Amino acid sequence: MSHSILQAFTLRNAMRLVRPIAVLCSSVAIIFSGVFPLLTYGDVPVSTMILIAAVLLVGCILIHGILTHALNDYTDHLSGTDQLSPAMLSGGSRVIQEGRITPGLLYRFGLWMTGILLVLDAILLLTGHYRLAILLLVGIWGATSYSLPALRLSYYPLAGEWISTFPSALFLGLGGAWLATGEFPLWSVQNAIINALYCIAWVMVHHIPDLDADRQASPVKRTSVVWCADRWGVGFSRVPAIAYMLLIALCSIWLAVSGRYIAAIGIGIIVLLSLWWIWKMDVQQPSSVTTCEKKLLLLAIAGAVLLGIFV
């Protein structure tokens, strides 16, 4: 990696890029809900569970915290949406806008990191660590397909959510049980799907303050939020988040049918609270949306912990 890239990535700049509080809170909770239930198995050593959780966390920080943000910051700078964003929780990390890292350096860093991770993935495949290799490859796909041209799936409705974000979040949740047992127990599938859907619902709220900026971008960043607002009016920009919450409500019924009654009730309550806050927020006031985002993040953590405990 070139000397100029290493010079630009000081600890302070790296922390700005990663946005560690949101990344750590969400990822730790998702990993917890996929690893903690393994305690009930008896044949999975605690040391193994800790090692698996640590590997997943490091991978999440590298891919979601660093690579995804680096590529997304670069792409959104090129299109112009980050410059026009109200920049509360949205608008990227601002490392480019504040002159901390140049766009060219950030882009080269993203390419270097993608290349290094792909080499690591090849090593994992060659040494027989197939599950780790698949998990890593899904993460790389999610980060690169979401932001990098020519795909740049975040600029199309539904594509960024379902083709990039959902697989990454899903496999992060599935990773614990899969690495430990080689299987996908029902509880791990349920937990992973619910956590991934909540992650996307949060992202949909996150896009609302950027509505005007995304419309003025070149190319236009036509997220699901922009598509709904353009089709039915700005008040309908909350519809994608509501739709994903309703999918989670259906999953709570699935939990109840499979006998996870406490988890079903807890997720049901979380969905109702989330829907209430999404409905009450003023979509034309970034401060109102930001307050809603913070509440939803806390509920996401609570939901993931709840799913991890009540299996």
Side-chain angles (χ1 to χ4, degrees):
M1 192 176 294
S2 69
H3 183 64
S4 56
I5 294 176
L6 294 176
Q7 280 186 318
F9 277 83
T10 63
L11 178 60
R12 185 177 180 184
N13 288 348
M15 293 296 283
R16 285 296 298 272
L17 182 68
V18 173
R19 287 170 275 181
I21 294 177
V23 171
L24 287 175
C25 286
S26 57
S27 60
V28 167
I30 291 174
I31 292 169
F32 174 86
S33 74
V35 173
F36 186 77
L38 294 171
L39 283 173
T40 63
Y41 280 48
D43 58 345
V44 180
V46 174
S47 59
T48 299
M49 288 187 282
I50 293 173
L51 178 61
I52 288 172
V55 168
L56 291 174
L57 181 59
V58 170
C60 187
I61 293 171
L62 288 175
I63 294 173
H64 175 57
I66 301 177
L67 181 60
T68 299
H69 288 164
L71 296 177
N72 194 58
D73 276 11
Y74 172 75
T75 298
D76 284 353
H77 171 76
L78 282 188
S79 70
T81 182
D82 273 357
Q83 289 90 306
L84 300 170
S85 168
M88 298 181 76
L89 288 181
S90 57
S93 67
R94 315 307 289 176
V95 294
I96 294 177
Q97 287 73 26
E98 294 174 3
R100 295 174 178 273
I101 304 175
T102 66
L105 279 178
L106 196 60
Y107 179 63
R108 290 199 294 277
F109 171 79
L111 292 183
W112 269 100
M113 189 168 182
T114 301
I116 291 169
L117 290 174
L118 286 173
V119 170
L120 175 60
D121 197 69
I123 293 171
L124 289 172
L125 281 172
L126 292 173
T127 54
H129 295 88
Y130 303 115
R131 279 170 263 172
L132 268 177
I134 291 171
L135 290 173
L136 179 57
L137 191 60
V138 171
I140 296 169
W141 162 259
T144 54
S145 64
Y146 191 78
S147 296
L148 275 183
L151 290 176
R152 197 164 39 198
L153 297 179
S154 60
Y155 280 61
Y156 302 93
L158 296 178
E161 296 112 88
W162 285 105
I163 302 177
S164 301
T165 305
F166 185 80
S168 296
L170 178 71
F171 273 83
L172 178 63
L174 290 173
W178 194 33
L179 291 174
T181 69
E183 299 175 349
F184 297 110
L186 178 61
W187 61 263
S188 71
V189 175
Q190 291 173 327
N191 291 5
I193 290 176
I194 291 171
N195 287 329
L197 287 173
Y198 204 100
C199 174
I200 295 177
W202 187 89
V203 171
M204 294 299 99
V205 175
H206 183 69
H207 282 321
I208 291 174
D210 294 333
L211 184 59
D212 290 333
D214 289 343
R215 281 170 168 161
Q216 296 176 66
S218 180
V220 173
K221 189 173 184 179
R222 200 173 301 282
T223 62
S224 296
V225 169
V226 171
W227 186 88
C228 288
D230 286 347
R231 189 172 182 84
W232 297 303
V234 68
F236 286 83
S237 60
R238 58 169 60 87
V239 165
I242 291 174
Y244 285 115
M245 287 299 171
L246 292 177
L247 288 177
I248 297 171
L250 291 176
C251 289
S252 70
I253 298 173
W254 182 23
L255 292 174
V257 170
S258 63
R260 298 178 64 185
Y261 302 113
I262 297 178
I265 293 170
I267 293 299
I269 293 171
I270 286 173
V271 167
L272 288 175
L273 280 173
S274 301
L275 287 171
W276 173 251
W277 285 333
I278 292 169
W279 184 258
K280 293 293 291 182
M281 72 178 172
D282 185 346
V283 297
Q284 294 182 297
Q285 289 295 328
S287 59
S288 177
V289 180
T290 298
T291 299
C292 182
E293 285 184 79
K294 292 176 180 177
K295 292 177 180 177
L296 293 180
L297 180 59
L298 292 175
L299 285 181
I301 296 168
V305 171
L306 180 79
L307 289 168
I309 294 174
F310 296 103
V311 178

